[in-house]
Amino acid sequence: MTAHRSSGPALAVVGATGAVGSVLLQILSQRADVWGAIRLIASARSAGRVLAVRARETEVLALTEDAFDGLGEGDVAIFLTPAEVSAHWAPLVTARGAVVVDRSAAFREDPGVPLVVPEVNADAVRDRPRGIVAGPDCVTAAMIAAVGALHRAYGLTELAVSSYQAAGAAGRAGSEALRRQLSVVAGTSLGEQPGDVRRAVGEDTGPFAAPLALNVVPWSGELRADGWSSHELAVRAETRRILGLERLPVAVTCVQVPVVTGHSLTVRARFEAVVDVAHVREVLEAAPGVVLVDDPQAGEFPTPADAAGTDPAWVGRVRASLDDPFSLEFFVCADNLRKGAALNAAQIAELIAGEYA
């Protein structure tokens, strides 16, 4: 299949049958139609399935070199695949002249690959010597539009965050594990005695380090030096890269919570200037990709249930730090499958498509 500029660039979605892929296909059908042909690619076991995208039934192709035939300059491939798959296939696609938008961790630390959240650093998309643009981890993506807007207004000097991560970030395996565990403990007196939940769940913790039902798990990723997890260090490094603050002090604690969809974070940000909360609200209300929901007296503040199925980051509980006039505290939620992954990839791809319009 050959892409034709008159009908828009071609788009390949690799990993189309996964959890993020399903959301991306919905998003492509909801946003402005900038694409010509769209082809769907997945592992061999998913090949032959038929999925709907832009109201068209499209057969899923197996991930082989032939699946990319016809892709060339101006075309885009979005990879929603594990890092090892992206690392192998992305260079083969860019060798054809197409641009790769990769959602995995394979290229996020590569200095030749821009790490992009369009609301914050859209201009970085153009600087891609390897022909690849990376998107950040879903936790970073959930907070960075708000943090970036505040940085532009006040000059960020320090950041401390704790994440409350949805099970769905671990893919279908994470969501299914949580649902299995909840079904085990539902309608019982489990949790009244120490160890009840762990005994009921047993070894079936799924992709999590401990039972997630009726529990929180202060761990995500692999062990690194001095007790930090790989996920915590990744959020730190990605925040620095996206904001262009390579020496920014960042402290991160990642926590898994029994929520299916929607990441939340508490954020403490310190700035060069004294914080004016009234002005902060104005900044956040004007920030692209951010919705301010902040009236605790009326019971209005964001929760992951509110953010699920929506595009923006929802921000609330905005308040000046009690002991430091240069610091601000707030809470933010975002759908980890949409803004945390699929939407960010779609936005980057659209920026690239615009270069060839």
Side-chain angles (χ1 to χ4, degrees):
M1 178 173 61
T2 302
H4 299 286
R5 297 281 74 77
S6 60
S7 60
L11 175 68
V13 179
V14 187
T17 58
V20 178
S22 299
V23 174
L24 178 61
L25 298 191
Q26 296 172 15
I27 289 172
L28 291 174
S29 299
Q30 294 163 353
R31 294 175 67 82
D33 189 0
V34 302
W35 303 107
I38 295 180
R39 67 184 76 179
L40 309 181
I41 303 171
S43 63
R45 67 178 179 273
S46 296
R49 290 180 57 184
V50 176
L51 302 176
V53 57
R54 297 188 311 185
R56 300 175 188 170
E57 298 296 308
T58 304
E59 184 176 344
V60 176
L61 306 176
L63 178 56
T64 65
E65 290 196 36
D66 292 346
F68 300 102
D69 283 350
L71 287 185
E73 184 178 357
D75 298 325
V76 179
I78 296 177
F79 276 72
L80 309 172
T81 54
E84 61 273 17
V85 176
S86 294
H88 175 77
W89 287 98
L92 299 178
V93 175
T94 58
R96 297 170 178 262
V99 179
V100 166
V101 178
D102 184 47
R103 270 288 313 140
S104 80
F107 304 102
R108 288 173 183 160
E109 298 182 16
D110 188 328
V113 175
L115 182 65
V116 175
V117 173
E119 293 89 345
V120 181
N121 63 339
D123 289 346
V125 165
R126 293 193 293 268
D127 183 21
R128 47 175 194 269
R130 294 194 59 187
I132 302 170
V133 180
D137 177 85
C138 48
V139 172
T140 308
M143 69 167 177
I144 202 68
V147 171
L150 294 170
H151 169 55
R152 289 190 294 271
Y154 286 95
L156 186 67
T157 62
E158 190 172 344
L159 191 67
V161 302
S162 290
S163 69
Y164 309 95
Q165 297 170 211
R172 290 197 173 99
S175 300
E176 290 170 0
L178 176 57
R179 289 190 174 100
R180 284 196 309 272
Q181 294 173 23
L182 288 171
S183 69
V184 170
V185 302
T188 74
S189 60
L190 290 173
E192 295 182 1
Q193 297 297 322
D196 276 353
V197 171
R198 186 175 287 275
R199 283 193 293 272
V201 172
E203 299 298 320
D204 185 21
T205 60
F208 309 112
L212 195 57
L214 303 184
N215 203 17
V216 296
V217 181
W219 189 259
S220 177
E222 301 172 355
L223 181 63
R224 294 292 185 261
D226 301 319
W228 292 96
S229 80
S230 58
H231 199 173
E232 291 162 346
L233 296 180
V235 173
R236 178 177 188 262
E238 291 165 19
T239 299
R240 287 173 154 191
R241 282 202 71 193
I242 293 166
L243 296 178
L245 300 172
E246 296 301 323
R247 296 184 180 274
L248 178 72
V250 182
V252 183
T253 299
C254 288
V255 181
Q256 298 278 174
V257 297
V259 170
V260 174
T261 302
H263 286 345
S264 305
L265 298 96
T266 54
V267 180
R268 177 185 175 92
R270 196 170 197 274
F271 301 97
E272 296 172 355
V274 172
V275 171
D276 179 340
V277 173
H279 180 245
V280 163
R281 294 177 187 279
E282 294 175 0
V283 169
L284 292 173
E285 287 176 338
V290 174
V291 170
L292 183 65
V293 182
D294 191 26
D295 186 356
Q297 186 172 359
E300 295 182 359
F301 35 72
T303 73
D306 300 314
T310 72
D311 289 345
W314 294 48
V315 177
R317 298 299 319 282
V318 179
R319 58 213 188 277
S321 298
L322 293 175
D323 302 311
D324 182 0
F326 294 87
S327 293
L328 183 77
E329 321 271 349
F330 63 92
F331 187 75
V332 58
C333 301
D335 186 319
N336 52 290
L337 298 178
R338 290 186 72 88
K339 184 52 191 167
L343 177 62
N344 197 70
Q347 290 172 311
I348 294 171
E350 288 166 5
L351 288 174
I352 297 166
E355 298 176 0
Y356 299 93

